[in-house]
Amino acid sequence: MMPVRVGIPRALFYYYYFPLWKEFLEQLGAEVVVSDRTTKEILTRGLEHCVDEACLPIKLAFGHVQNLADKGVDIIFLPRIVSVAKQEYICPKFLGFPDMVRQNIKNLPMIMDTNINLRKRKSDAGIFAREVGTAIGKGSVKSRLAFWQGQYKHKGYLRLLEQGLLPDEAISVLDGKERKDKVSDTDLTVAVIGHPYNIYDPFISMNIINRLKNLGVQVLTADNLTEQMINQGVKQLPKKLFWTLSRRVTGGALYYHEKGMVDGIIHVAAFACGPDSMTGELIERFIRREGKMPFMNINLDEHTGEAGIVTRVEAFLDMMRWRRAIV
Ligand code: SF4
């Protein structure tokens, strides 16, 4: 019997959970298909089908869903993510995403939109595992075991990120590819802070991470920190943040700032993102008040020009090098 082909969009939570989902689905006997890397065409198709008010990453994810449909998958995997951490929530746009897709794109394959809600207990992930397994025709024990194997893979993935790898590099290492040595001739270290689906997508981020690397910069992100470090960073705020993504972004920036581990911080935000405008403001105020290191905010939208970003990034690096020379 041919395995069921399950499509995972290379968007939204792909950069956090792809190794877990892939392992889980493969252990259930599925063949995993990933959408192509973002191109202008994928973004354009997303823009055509999504409501204007949505943020850029959601519009882009629409394009990735259509790309998967073109690949003839049997199922598109779009878990309805409510919460991935105790007492915290994910942005409501994640929650409504599967419905928005169904509403706006016709003739799609089956959409698997099983709930993930770990707000009360981490162990509620077992409910998700069982429901996905059942939809693929597997029993409860097999599904739990497959999910456990996925979680094991995920732990290995997080360890690679904590060693300084970025998601694409860590995913290739998990796939058995050779690990590349760190570039040693860097004179600056910069933290690029933003949602994974913005900073790691080379098209949407104007390739900011690789640009920095090519300019002799070592790049760190919040995902290179442990959960403990992120929580230590965010503790500097007077109030708890109950949005997981905002907590990670803010905690990461404040930790790098507090420890002086980087020469500067670039915050990357998406146009029309409510949480980003709040966290960007919080981080900026905090860092500028202390005056310990340069900070730059980049806003991405579908019209963002590459030339403008390049000029700003180069000026930012010049400023850091000049600052270093005079201190
Ligand atoms: S956090 Fe912001 S960018 Fe992410 S899905 Fe929500 S509104 Fe969009």
Side-chain angles (χ1 to χ4, degrees):
M1 205 169 75
M2 295 280 282
V4 56
R5 298 181 78 229
V6 181
I8 298 183
R10 200 186 288 267
L12 300 177
F13 263 150
Y14 168 87
Y15 298 96
Y16 270 147
Y17 290 121
F18 176 67
L20 189 165
W21 288 335
K22 178 172 184 278
E23 183 71 15
F24 172 46
L25 293 165
E26 285 180 351
Q27 290 295 335
L28 288 172
E31 178 192 333
V32 170
V33 178
V34 187
S35 57
D36 295 331
R37 289 186 187 279
T38 303
T39 57
K40 190 162 180 20
E41 192 206 335
I42 290 183
L43 175 62
T44 306
R45 289 178 78 190
L47 296 174
E48 279 165 10
H49 286 86
C50 190
V51 289
D52 283 345
E53 301 72 43
C55 60
L56 182 63
I58 291 285
K59 289 176 179 169
L60 179 62
F62 263 68
H64 280 276
V65 166
Q66 290 168 91
N67 181 261
L68 286 171
D70 294 347
K71 290 178 185 289
V73 297
D74 304 305
I75 295 175
I76 300 185
F77 187 67
L78 298 183
R80 187 185 303 277
I81 302 173
V82 182
S83 164
V84 294
K86 211 169 162 196
Q87 304 300 330
E88 287 183 1
Y89 286 101
I90 290 296
C91 165
K93 289 192 179 152
F94 277 80
L95 201 121
F97 183 62
D99 299 324
M100 286 166 76
V101 165
R102 271 204 196 93
Q103 197 68 35
N104 292 293
I105 313 179
K106 303 287 166 241
N107 303 321
L108 283 177
M110 175 190 155
I111 290 186
M112 188 184 280
D113 62 346
T114 316
N115 272 7
I116 299 182
N117 188 352
L118 312 185
R119 192 183 66 85
K120 290 193 183 142
R121 289 170 294 270
K122 248 183 163 178
S123 56
D124 282 347
I127 304 172
F128 164 78
R130 209 178 48 235
E131 288 179 6
V132 172
T134 309
I136 298 187
K138 300 290 187 260
S140 159
V141 175
K142 173 84 190 154
S143 307
R144 296 290 285 261
L145 188 63
F147 192 68
W148 181 83
Q149 285 165 299
Q151 283 177 308
Y152 183 74
K153 200 49 127 188
H154 184 61
K155 281 195 185 130
Y157 176 60
L158 295 183
R159 269 198 300 272
L160 290 171
L161 296 181
E162 286 160 17
Q163 286 165 21
L165 270 66
L166 295 175
D168 272 347
E169 296 162 341
I171 290 169
S172 335
V173 171
L174 289 177
D175 276 348
K177 309 233 169 70
E178 207 184 321
R179 184 174 173 158
K180 286 192 195 127
D181 288 332
K182 268 193 194 164
V183 187
S184 49
D185 56 347
T186 55
D187 65 331
L188 288 175
T189 304
V190 171
V192 175
I193 298 291
H195 298 313
Y197 37 85
N198 290 326
I199 61 175
Y200 300 129
D201 186 314
F203 184 88
I204 222 68
S205 68
M206 310 282 150
N207 207 10
I208 187 159
I209 290 183
N210 288 324
R211 263 181 216 291
L212 286 166
K213 285 183 174 177
N214 293 339
L215 290 165
V217 175
Q218 190 198 343
V219 176
L220 294 172
T221 71
D223 302 306
N224 298 129
L225 297 172
T226 62
E227 195 65 12
Q228 233 179 352
M229 292 166 173
I230 286 181
N231 289 337
Q232 190 180 325
V234 90
K235 264 198 194 134
Q236 297 173 60
L237 296 176
K239 275 194 178 172
K240 184 173 161 39
L241 293 173
F242 54 88
W243 300 104
T244 302
L245 292 170
S246 302
R247 173 179 60 79
R248 289 188 59 80
V249 165
T250 314
L254 299 191
Y255 185 85
Y256 281 128
H257 174 260
E258 182 195 11
K259 300 288 173 197
M261 289 166 71
V262 292
D263 298 292
I265 295 181
I266 300 180
H267 177 247
V268 179
F271 181 71
C273 168
D276 268 353
S277 51
M278 180 198 70
T279 48
E281 177 80 22
L282 260 178
I283 298 169
E284 184 164 3
R285 274 198 201 179
F286 204 92
I287 291 174
R288 292 211 195 279
R289 192 182 64 204
E290 303 267 322
K292 263 200 318 213
M293 62 183 60
F295 173 87
M296 179 168 87
N297 213 350
I298 291 182
N299 266 303
L300 304 172
D301 71 15
E302 54 264 44
H303 311 295
T304 306
E306 201 168 329
I309 299 268
V310 174
T311 313
R312 288 188 62 206
V313 166
E314 285 175 355
F316 187 66
L317 298 184
D318 286 346
M319 195 227 302
M320 278 186 289
R321 289 191 170 112
W322 169 78
R323 199 171 181 268
R324 177 180 269 188
I326 58 161
V327 215

